[in-house]
Amino acid sequence: MAEASSARRRVPVVLGDRFDNPGLTMTTEGCHADGMEKHPKSPDTGAHGDLFARLKQVRAEAIEHTRIARDLARERRRIIDRLLAEGFSQSDLARELGVTRQAIQKMVAVGQDGDRS
């Protein structure tokens, strides 16, 4: 193992007059020293316009579903808060939903720091 680590070249990163990480090692020289090259030519997307259109549609739908899921989670949290305030226990809610009490605890804990409006 000592041979492998001694083969690495130590390259300190200088920030002003101090080193950021004096133990920084470079395991590969080429990709860190020479930078990265971009592809010289992008592929023609015109021939696949229908696939790109569908990709954009699926992306938009996924974003909308994420928004809806967030809204439903907020509503679920408000309902849980109300039921707990009315005297039901987390175990009562868990039995009714068919989940564990720990699942209810997670739902309660997640909503404590988030927006409940």
Side-chain angles (χ1 to χ4, degrees):
M1 177 131 175
E3 292 177 30
S5 63
S6 65
R8 292 184 182 154
R9 193 176 67 153
R10 293 193 178 273
V11 179
V13 177
V14 179
L15 294 174
D17 59 334
R18 64 182 183 14
F19 292 106
D20 175 51
N21 185 353
L24 181 66
T25 59
M26 290 179 55
T27 56
T28 57
E29 295 184 23
C31 66
H32 295 287
D34 297 335
M36 296 181 64
E37 294 181 22
K38 293 187 177 193
H39 290 286
K41 181 183 173 198
S42 296
D44 180 23
T45 59
H48 297 89
D50 56 334
L51 288 175
F52 279 102
R54 179 66 182 142
L55 176 62
K56 290 175 185 179
Q57 179 185 9
V58 168
R59 179 181 179 272
E61 289 177 18
I63 291 169
E64 178 63 14
H65 285 245
T66 300
R67 186 194 63 75
I68 291 168
R70 214 176 308 124
D71 291 345
L72 290 171
R74 284 188 193 113
E75 182 178 359
R76 177 183 62 197
R77 176 55 202 256
R78 283 192 299 267
I79 294 168
I80 288 173
D81 284 345
R82 183 171 174 190
L83 289 168
L84 291 172
E86 292 183 15
F88 290 96
S89 69
Q90 290 181 357
S91 295
D92 295 331
L93 300 178
R95 269 190 302 279
E96 193 64 31
L97 292 177
V99 299
T100 63
R101 183 182 49 80
Q102 289 82 1
I104 298 296
Q105 284 177 324
K106 275 186 177 181
M107 292 176 204
V108 170
V110 167
Q112 287 178 348
D113 294 331
D115 179 14
R116 290 196 226 170
S117 55

